[in-house]
Amino acid sequence: MRFAIVVSEWNTEVTEALYNGARETLLKFGASATDVVRRNVPGSFELTLGAQLMAERHEFDAIICIGVVIQGETKHFDFICDAVSKGITDLNMKYNLPVIFGVLTPNTMQQALDRAGGVHGNKGDEAAITAIKMAALKKELEA
Ligand code: RBF
């Protein structure tokens, strides 16, 4: 299977850890390095268009979106989270393709780090497993 990972450049310490977790999990479960394609976008708000541009290529079995929006640090929190969660939901339906919401929305940077390879694991790993499960479900039901 082929996977795209779209990574937001805000809070890169966290998004890089999430990306590495997602990529390593895809490779661990059998994806080859050439079948995992990464592209960056400036912020989480741009994840929707970034994922849509990847979906338009019709060459991926799933797309993983990775971002971090920290509630305590921006009044834009609700705008960005609402937009990207709705945007990603719409892409799932528009392309009939798993587009995975790997966006952390914690209150603090420490909570983000705890979920990006810290005490609460790595949500990037979980996003990758979700991508694999949904791509497999799609293949099974469309066979
Ligand atoms: N993008 C993120 O991915 N995480 C953030 O925490 C975040 N905070 C922002 C706070 C403000 C005040 C603004 C204007 C933008 C923020 N962005 C953040 C960037 C946003 O996702 C997007 O890249 C820009 O709004 C340009 O469309």
Side-chain angles (χ1 to χ4, degrees), residues 55-75:
E56 284 287 341
R57 292 169 62 156
H58 300 289
E59 58 183 76
F60 300 107
D61 295 289
I63 300 172
I64 299 169
C65 298
I66 286 179
V68 177
V69 193
I70 299 175
Q71 184 158 22
E73 292 181 10
T74 177
K75 288 194 164 49

Side-chain angles (χ1 to χ4, degrees), residues 46-119:
E46 284 73 39
L47 285 171
T48 305
L49 179 56
Q52 172 161 299
L53 293 169
M54 295 304 243
E56 284 287 341
R57 292 169 62 156
H58 300 289
E59 58 183 76
F60 300 107
D61 295 289
I63 300 172
I64 299 169
C65 298
I66 286 179
V68 177
V69 193
I70 299 175
Q71 184 158 22
E73 292 181 10
T74 177
K75 288 194 164 49
H76 281 52
F77 181 86
D78 290 333
F79 298 120
I80 295 170
C81 293
D82 288 351
V84 72
S85 61
K86 175 153 194 327
I88 289 175
T89 302
D90 290 348
L91 290 182
N92 277 268
M93 299 303 116
K94 177 175 172 188
Y95 291 93
N96 206 21
L97 177 74
V99 182
I100 308 305
F101 187 75
V103 180
L104 296 185
T105 58
N107 287 317
T108 65
M109 175 57 91
Q110 187 57 52
Q111 288 175 345
L113 292 168
D114 289 346
R115 289 158 181 77
V119 293

Side-chain angles (χ1 to χ4, degrees), residues 124-140:
D125 300 5
E126 293 177 22
I129 289 167
T130 303
I132 294 166
K133 284 182 172 174
M134 291 305 295
L137 179 68
K138 179 171 150 72
K139 275 194 190 300
E140 177 197 339

